[in-house]
Amino acid sequence: MRRAGEAGGLLDGEMMASLFPDRRVVRVELDGRLVDAVFHLAAEEHARRVRVGLGAMCYPRLLRRLADLSNGMAPLDPGLLAETSLLPDGVVEWSGLRGPVLLLEPPLVLDAVVVPAVGRAQTRHVRVADRFAPYAPRWVISGDQRVDAAVLVAASVGGVGLVARWPEPEVIASAAPATGRTLPGQAWLLAEQAYGAWLAAGARSGGRADIEAATV
């Protein structure tokens, strides 16, 4: 387990090792909600960004445009040239014959979104987790061993994993795979937000060497 960011997510030690072995976790605001993002780096893209000095690109409209390019859909309107002409190196490359060539890729893959409940888990925690249904498996980690029936029902219906933290980790309901209709560019935006939080946490802790070491 490799953790970055603020404490309080209830995802340390045994919990992390049992639920998400060999994954990283960072506390981050995704879609306006403070959660724990469990992820693994896209190693080649991360290494490329380190080489060119490129960080997270958390720009929803731009990412929607870039998602079109990644699908082989090159918009013909001149607005794309205007939007990308001032971008840092390493995002888009322009070719006279081919037009815009996308260089940027998502920097990581979300393995799970975890909503922490420091006390007893409530249905509101399940509702927050369910916002991320199209993008990753969702979990609620409860800081109390007691689980109300309403919470268990809501988690089971929504495919949200539910874990009681105390007195020892216990999986009460397993998380379902991601399901549902995604919004254009939203999965990429969530990845960039988690990546930005991970980079910022490394910078705060003086972990630049760790960030660069993650490229190997």
Side-chain angles (χ1 to χ4, degrees):
M1 181 274 292
R2 300 174 182 176
R3 182 178 181 88
E6 299 175 5
L10 303 181
L11 268 180
D12 290 303
E14 182 182 354
M15 176 75 72
M16 196 59 199
S18 62
L19 288 178
F20 312 110
D22 302 320
R23 291 296 183 261
R24 302 171 187 270
V25 59
V26 67
R27 203 84 196 275
V28 58
E29 186 174 304
L30 296 183
D31 195 25
R33 298 293 189 274
L34 191 61
V35 299
D36 275 4
V38 179
F39 65 94
H40 64 275
L41 285 172
E44 291 185 4
E45 174 64 8
H46 172 59
R48 189 185 70 85
R49 293 194 188 196
V50 170
R51 287 195 303 270
V52 301
L54 187 64
M57 301 292 291
C58 302
Y59 308 105
R61 181 178 176 182
L62 173 65
L63 292 175
R64 288 195 295 269
R65 289 289 200 126
L66 297 183
D68 286 341
L69 286 180
S70 68
N71 293 326
M73 301 167 55
L76 298 178
D77 63 281
L80 181 63
L81 175 59
E83 291 177 10
T84 58
S85 60
L86 298 179
L87 289 175
D89 292 340
V91 179
V92 172
E93 183 177 74
W94 281 84
S95 166
L97 296 177
R98 293 184 295 168
V101 177
L102 180 62
L103 302 177
L104 197 73
E105 296 180 0
L108 57 81
V109 176
L110 278 179
D111 293 298
V113 173
V114 179
V115 178
V118 177
R120 187 185 301 189
Q122 301 178 29
T123 54
R124 63 183 175 87
H125 297 114
V126 177
R127 289 195 298 270
V128 170
D130 206 41
R131 295 169 64 97
F132 303 96
Y135 307 104
R138 294 85 58 214
W139 292 84
V140 171
I141 306 295
S142 177
D144 193 309
Q145 69 185 94
R146 297 166 295 176
V147 177
D148 293 338
V151 175
L152 180 57
V153 169
S156 299
V157 170
V160 175
L162 184 61
V163 177
R165 175 67 169 147
W166 307 111
E168 59 185 21
E170 179 183 359
V171 176
I172 299 172
S174 296
T179 182
R181 180 174 296 181
T182 62
L183 298 175
Q186 183 67 8
W188 197 340
L189 176 62
L190 297 179
E192 295 288 348
Q193 290 174 336
Y195 185 63
W198 179 69
L199 292 177
R204 288 195 300 270
S205 63
R208 178 66 184 178
D210 293 337
I211 290 173
E212 293 181 348
T215 64
V216 299

